[in-house]
Amino acid sequence: MLAAQYTAPGAVSLVQTPDPECPPEGLLLRVETLGICGSDLHFCHDVATAEYPCGPGFSGHECVAIVEEGRGLPVGTRVLALAPDYNAFAEGLSATGDSVIRVPEHLSSERAVLAQQLGTVIYCCRKLPNILDRHVVVVGQGPAGLFFTMLLSRMGARSLTGVDTEPHRLTLARQMGATCVVNPDVTDCEAAVREHTRGDMADVVVEAVGKAETLNLCTSLVRKEGDIALFGVPKTHVLPVDVEALLRRNVRLTTSVFAQREPGLHSFRLALQMIADGRIDPMPLVSHRLGFAEIAQGFELAHTRSDGTIKVLLRCG
């Protein structure tokens, strides 16, 4: 079968690799639809040089697939496959029964695959304080940040400010529920949040980028004894963070990773149900649809954000 492989920083190639085998008590899946995540860009461009080439299929994890063989689900069943080994950038993969969720028959694979990223956002939101009647800022309006904007606005935020440097993403943030949008390249973000909150500043700030500058920006936007959620994947293990500013505000820091290890996968099941019920419409986030053979182009679009890129989906088969 074909699989994608990171061969050097920023280089994605298609390689032939042996077909996976169906594990005992597990499932053999044929991949149908994939999404490119911001964390995939991190692994493609920023992994230490000594780790290249990465294993075939790495680091795909946003995946809808069809059961071809195994126990527990009928052949032909479509599933949201959470790929705990991060190896879904391939035409097929093996899986355990507890790492897949059955997709409702009426739900398209494109909509279903977006439940993976929404599930990670729900998983993070479970850790946050009550959002009702609170001032919220989401720094970064990429796909994950836009999901935060959608969800937190529906959770009853009094105000929600979306922050990004891309005008088309800010436009979409407005459509997704932001009451204010700010481009920090052209506007004093701290002053804008202070004005929008009438001097209160943000009760909760979500960092959905993964850079030192955006984390320090979050610190300047949160009120004293407020909350900052760290969601964006950083490019380096160590960031130059203004710890004194964090201490002066006495903030609470929440981190959120490895949502796919959640017992019962409740956050992903809720995400899939919300999309299936029409309570969340993820499709405005999809900017590009490509074939699996065009995965290198998809990574380039996602990395450069050219052509209004927000979310890139890949079709297999």
Side-chain angles (χ1 to χ4, degrees), residues 170-213:
L170 293 178
T171 298
L172 189 53
R174 281 279 196 191
Q175 297 173 23
M176 296 300 103
T179 59
C180 174
V181 294
V182 181
N183 183 338
D185 284 350
V186 298
T187 302
D188 184 328
C189 196
E190 184 176 351
V193 171
R194 180 175 290 107
E195 179 181 0
H196 193 57
T197 62
R198 298 184 179 181
D200 292 338
M201 303 306 289
D203 300 291
V204 177
V205 181
V206 176
E207 201 287 334
V209 180
K211 295 182 179 179
E213 61 198 80

Side-chain angles (χ1 to χ4, degrees), residues 6 33-41 43 57-64 80-90 93 99 113 115-117 120 233 260 268 311:
Y6 307 150
T33 306
L34 295 160
I36 296 177
C37 176
S39 63
D40 296 322
L41 300 177
F43 287 119
F58 184 78
S59 59
H61 55 281
E62 297 182 2
C63 174
V64 166
L80 178 67
L82 299 175
D85 294 329
Y86 284 81
N87 61 343
F89 282 143
L93 71 155
S99 68
V113 77
Q116 194 283 336
Q117 191 159 51
T120 66
V233 179
Q260 72 274 18
F268 297 101
K311 187 71 176 180

Side-chain angles (χ1 to χ4, degrees), residues 1-316:
M1 69 173 183
L2 286 176
Q5 185 174 40
Y6 307 150
T7 55
V12 184
S13 299
L14 286 177
V15 297
Q16 285 285 348
T17 189
D19 292 344
E21 296 183 358
C22 187
E25 309 299 320
L27 300 166
L28 183 64
L29 305 177
R30 173 170 53 86
V31 174
E32 187 175 69
T33 306
L34 295 160
I36 296 177
C37 176
S39 63
D40 296 322
L41 300 177
H42 162 70
F43 287 119
C44 178
H45 289 269
D46 305 313
V47 175
T49 304
E51 297 184 32
Y52 292 103
C54 299
F58 184 78
S59 59
H61 55 281
E62 297 182 2
C63 174
V64 166
I66 298 172
V67 175
E68 288 201 320
E69 183 182 341
R71 300 172 64 92
L73 287 171
V75 172
T77 301
R78 282 186 311 137
V79 295
L80 178 67
L82 299 175
D85 294 329
Y86 284 81
N87 61 343
F89 282 143
E91 293 179 317
L93 71 155
S94 57
T96 57
D98 60 359
S99 68
V100 303
I101 304 171
R102 192 168 189 158
V103 173
E105 290 187 6
H106 73 277
L107 193 62
S108 71
S109 294
E110 283 194 350
R111 288 181 180 272
V113 77
L114 294 166
Q116 194 283 336
Q117 191 159 51
L118 177 58
T120 66
V121 169
I122 291 173
Y123 179 74
C124 180
C125 287
R126 289 180 185 275
K127 304 180 181 185
L128 299 179
N130 185 7
I131 297 299
L132 193 66
D133 201 28
R134 297 290 191 267
H135 294 299
V136 179
V137 175
V138 179
V139 177
Q141 293 295 300
L146 287 165
F147 271 132
F148 273 108
T149 296
M150 284 190 227
L151 195 60
L152 294 173
S153 65
R154 287 160 173 76
M155 290 169 66
R158 188 194 318 176
S159 72
L160 196 151
T161 301
V163 179
D164 203 282
T165 58
E166 301 285 343
H168 68 279
R169 295 188 174 201
L170 293 178
T171 298
L172 189 53
R174 281 279 196 191
Q175 297 173 23
M176 296 300 103
T179 59
C180 174
V181 294
V182 181
N183 183 338
D185 284 350
V186 298
T187 302
D188 184 328
C189 196
E190 184 176 351
V193 171
R194 180 175 290 107
E195 179 181 0
H196 193 57
T197 62
R198 298 184 179 181
D200 292 338
M201 303 306 289
D203 300 291
V204 177
V205 181
V206 176
E207 201 287 334
V209 180
K211 295 182 179 179
E213 61 198 80
T214 48
L215 175 53
N216 289 322
L217 175 62
C218 291
T219 305
S220 72
L221 304 179
V222 71
R223 66 167 174 82
K224 289 184 178 180
E225 300 185 358
D227 287 83
I228 295 177
L230 303 182
F231 185 88
V233 179
K235 294 183 178 181
T236 61
H237 294 298
V238 179
L239 296 176
V241 175
D242 188 344
V243 177
E244 183 179 357
L246 287 169
L247 293 173
R248 286 199 303 268
R249 283 171 171 76
N250 205 28
V251 301
R252 288 175 292 273
L253 287 175
T254 297
T255 60
S256 188
V257 293
F258 301 130
Q260 72 274 18
R261 297 180 185 175
E262 179 188 32
L265 303 177
H266 298 297
S267 296
F268 297 101
R269 295 181 189 278
L270 177 58
L272 197 59
Q273 190 64 55
M274 292 181 77
I275 293 174
D277 291 345
R279 288 179 284 163
I280 291 283
D281 180 9
M283 299 314 290
L285 275 61
V286 179
S287 58
H288 293 77
R289 297 169 173 86
L290 301 173
F292 183 56
E294 301 171 289
I295 188 170
Q297 179 187 346
F299 267 83
E300 180 68 14
L301 285 167
H303 177 62
T304 61
R305 301 183 185 182
S306 58
D307 194 29
T309 306
I310 295 178
K311 187 71 176 180
V312 179
L313 298 184
L314 304 170
R315 302 180 305 274
C316 291

